Amino acid sequence: MIRIGIYGYGNLGRGVEYAVSQNPDMELVGVFTRRDPASVHANAPVYRAEDVLSYTDKIDVMILCGGSATDLPVQTPQLAQHFNVVDSFDTHANIPTHFENVDTAAHAGGHVGIISVGWDPGLFSLSRLYAGAVLPEGKDYTFWGKGVSQGHSDAIRRIRGVLDARQYTVPVPAALEAVRSGEMPSLTTREKHTRECFVVAEDGADLARIEKEIVEMPNYFADYDTTVHFISAEELKGKHSGLPHGGTVIRTGTAGDGSRHTIEYSLSLQSNPAFTSSVLCAYARAAYRLQKEGAKGCKTVFDVPPAYLSSEDSASLRKHLL
Amino acid sequence: MIRIGIYGYGNLGRGVEYAVSQNPDMELVGVFTRRDPASVHANAPVYRAEDVLSYTDKIDVMILCGGSATDLPVQTPQLAQHFNVVDSFDTHANIPTHFENVDTAAHAGGHVGIISVGWDPGLFSLSRLYAGAVLPEGKDYTFWGKGVSQGHSDAIRRIRGVLDARQYTVPVPAALEAVRSGEMPSLTTREKHTRECFVVAEDGADLARIEKEIVEMPNYFADYDTTVHFISAEELKGKHSGLPHGGTVIRTGTAGDGSRHTIEYSLSLQSNPAFTSSVLCAYARAAYRLQKEGAKGCKTVFDVPPAYLSSEDSASLRKHLL
């Protein structure tokens, strides 16, 4: 059995708890939280985050479930000295720095750390890598959605007069179609995605001002065609409380004989954190096996042989899946 | 530069020749053929297959381009003793035996052999493995086509009175839709694919008898709804001379919290051999790197870390693709 610890117990941590229960070769040893353990209800013992180093010989892989903004840049290197770790660090621009920090720590402790695991970065990155390697002359496209962007929802919530909000990123069907046709179009940000916002405003708030602040918000909305719907708190809760997401990675390219090819990888996810958690668990298995074999240091999904993710052995994989 | 040899020069061998030219870190050293080298026109020196062992120090990876029925089961183990090899062995049921034979030979010679490379087996297998590892509770579906099945086309050509034929495998749209919906339907062979045949018959042949022999042919057609069109040799040449193919691998599954997820991987290929050749080249790079690192024996796509396929280095991959 691979003994798993969860460090941080929000949506993602709960997802990992569920995901561990689906993997017969894993058991959940405990959940580590910065909150008062007595206030956290989990289907495993709950421990104080600050006591984590007492569990180094009881946990094979620690799955870090904090956020990429402030938690993981600190926690993953710290814990990689003492545990095999897996995280879902997703601030693309900071991946090289995070990799170096985790690599140094994991080497020092003789552990394996796998970072940036999930679907993007993660499975989408793999799709881009495989497609680019087999079609060196071609062009990549990534479309996200339809799905909830938590960062954009948060940005709307910070506007004065907004009580709650939910933002959907929606790929433009005509853009998807143009890409699939193999025409290799050049697409602007605006041509690829639209943004749809469901907003609960305070009674008497200036709706026109709120809408204007949303659609003109730089970086988040100004470069997109954005639609704003004001709805009641009840409707938001009833119709928009899930966290669905997904998307599509497409590469179209030309082989040496001029023939054209399209490679497409799509995800349709009812729950973004539940799916990300499932990916984290598969890579926890890989971290465990890699370290057993003597590997150390930081890895990404690019470095992990696919067979290490599966609970089946190699002979069985060749027989049933190849 | 990775020095590549091509062993067998049909559609696939020509495809590899083109594919090598798209990869700046590879050069084609020569083509080995069982035909008279003077009769073969390639953009590289053409050598007699029987002289291949004179080139062991000039070739880093030999890409085998023979057929799975009789060529590869003999050739891949023979050559794996003397070269790093990559093949596209695709007789699913015989993969375990082929693996053992290549593994023994490659270990004996200190080489790496990567077998069953292409899209199915190959990229489709990878998609099944990744999807199954991240969604352990779910169901896999593979649809092929629309595309030309060479095995089925050949089977029709063996019927008395048939001059030429082309068979397309076509996925049933309603089946694809049912799978994508996440309903996890149980589908019979007949419900998943139809078969469409374009046949050139001899003058005066008994068309009704030919059609009956096709649609009732066991293993090949009897379990499918099959349509037969008799056309002229000109029409066959004009409209059906390509070898397009592709297909879709879908896994739908449920995470531990009950949320449902769909993972879909699709290929749309204008030329089946050109694309397969491109995949072979990417794995030739991996075979070269693995052996440089001290690996030996037989591998499949399941064993190869994705980064080994790319001409970019790991730091650059993390920065640009992760």
Side-chain angles (χ1 to χ4, degrees), chain A residues 18 22 92 99 121 125 128 130 134 137 254 256 260-262 264 266 268 270-271 278 302 307 318 321-322, chain B residues 18 22 92 99 121 125 128 130 134 137 254 256 260-262 264 266 268 270-271 278 302 306-307 318 321-322:
Chain A
Y18 282 122
Q22 291 190 307
H92 288 262
F99 182 91
S125 320
R128 290 187 281 262
Y130 279 112
V134 304
E137 295 179 14
T254 307
R260 296 205 301 191
H261 307 278
T262 302
E264 180 165 346
S266 294
S268 171
Q270 271 190 354
S271 163
S278 298
F302 294 159
R318 285 194 293 273
L321 288 186
L322 196 63
Chain B
Y18 281 122
Q22 291 190 306
H92 288 260
F99 182 91
S125 321
R128 289 188 282 263
Y130 279 113
V134 303
E137 295 178 15
T254 306
R260 297 205 303 191
H261 307 279
T262 302
E264 179 164 346
S266 295
S268 171
Q270 270 190 357
S271 163
S278 297
F302 294 158
R318 284 193 293 272
L321 288 185
L322 196 62

Side-chain angles (χ1 to χ4, degrees), chain B:
Chain B
M1 294 295 268
I2 306 172
R3 300 168 302 167
I4 302 288
I6 293 174
Y7 196 86
Y9 195 66
N11 281 338
L12 200 60
R14 274 188 297 277
V16 171
E17 180 181 333
Y18 281 122
V20 167
S21 73
Q22 291 190 306
N23 286 285
D25 57 343
M26 296 185 183
E27 61 178 327
L28 181 59
V29 172
V31 166
F32 295 85
T33 178
R34 286 175 295 196
R35 289 175 277 165
D36 174 7
S39 73
V40 173
H41 300 286
N43 291 311
V46 181
Y47 304 113
R48 291 148 50 98
E50 62 205 79
D51 297 336
V52 68
L53 295 189
S54 310
Y55 296 85
T56 50
D57 60 347
K58 296 185 185 64
I59 288 171
D60 295 313
V61 187
M62 187 69 82
I63 301 182
L64 280 83
C65 299
S68 295
T70 55
D71 297 333
L72 299 177
V74 176
Q75 294 170 356
T76 313
Q78 270 176 359
L79 292 174
Q81 273 202 276
H82 307 284
F83 297 93
N84 297 315
V85 294
V86 179
D87 81 16
S88 62
F89 184 78
D90 67 358
T91 311
H92 288 260
N94 298 340
I95 286 174
T97 304
H98 189 56
F99 182 91
E100 292 306 325
N101 294 341
V102 175
D103 195 49
T104 304
H107 270 289
H111 292 105
V112 168
I114 310 183
I115 62 161
S116 300
V117 168
W119 58 276
D120 196 1
L123 300 178
F124 272 17
S125 321
L126 283 169
S127 180
R128 289 188 282 263
L129 172 54
Y130 279 113
V134 303
L135 280 183
E137 295 178 15
K139 200 165 165 177
D140 280 330
Y141 299 85
T142 302
F143 292 90
W144 293 275
K146 182 180 177 176
V148 172
S149 164
Q150 300 195 62
H152 287 79
S153 301
D154 289 343
I156 300 173
R157 287 190 200 103
R158 288 192 291 265
I159 293 173
R160 185 166 49 87
V162 171
L163 291 171
D164 203 352
R166 195 56 55 107
Q167 192 270 178
Y168 294 90
T169 306
V170 186
V172 175
L176 265 166
E177 209 170 296
V179 168
R180 284 186 183 126
S181 75
E183 294 162 16
M184 300 197 204
S186 290
L187 297 167
T188 63
T189 298
R190 191 176 300 274
E191 286 168 334
K192 285 181 71 187
H193 296 93
T194 53
R195 297 198 176 277
E196 194 169 13
C197 313
F198 295 87
V199 180
V200 182
E202 285 172 8
D203 272 352
D206 179 349
L207 302 187
R209 192 248 321 145
I210 291 173
E211 179 167 350
K212 188 165 185 295
E213 283 191 40
I214 294 173
V215 302
E216 294 179 357
M217 194 185 299
N219 301 318
Y220 285 87
F221 293 100
D223 297 333
Y224 298 84
D225 290 335
T226 301
T227 318
V228 178
H229 310 276
F230 290 98
I231 61 173
S232 68
E234 291 67 39
E235 189 177 344
L236 192 82
K237 196 175 170 209
K239 293 189 186 162
H240 305 284
S241 63
L243 292 170
H245 220 312
T248 301
V249 175
I250 304 178
R251 185 173 180 88
T252 63
T254 306
D257 67 345
S259 58
R260 297 205 303 191
H261 307 279
T262 302
I263 302 175
E264 179 164 346
Y265 183 77
S266 295
L267 295 172
S268 171
L269 312 174
Q270 270 190 357
S271 163
N272 185 353
F275 187 78
T276 300
S277 306
S278 297
V279 184
L280 284 165
C281 272
Y283 278 92
R285 179 181 290 120
Y288 173 76
R289 290 181 178 172
L290 284 165
Q291 198 230 8
K292 282 264 174 208
E293 284 189 0
K296 323 182 226 220
C298 191
K299 315 278 176 195
T300 74
V301 295
F302 294 158
D303 305 308
V304 177
Y308 284 58
L309 304 179
S310 173
S311 59
E312 281 188 66
D313 67 31
S314 289
S316 159
L317 290 173
R318 284 193 293 272
K319 194 166 176 185
H320 298 122
L321 288 185
L322 196 62

Side-chain angles (χ1 to χ4, degrees), chain A residues 139-157:
Chain A
K139 199 165 165 176
D140 280 329
Y141 298 85
T142 302
F143 292 89
W144 293 275
K146 183 180 177 177
V148 172
S149 164
Q150 301 195 59
H152 287 78
S153 301
D154 289 342
I156 299 173
R157 287 190 201 103

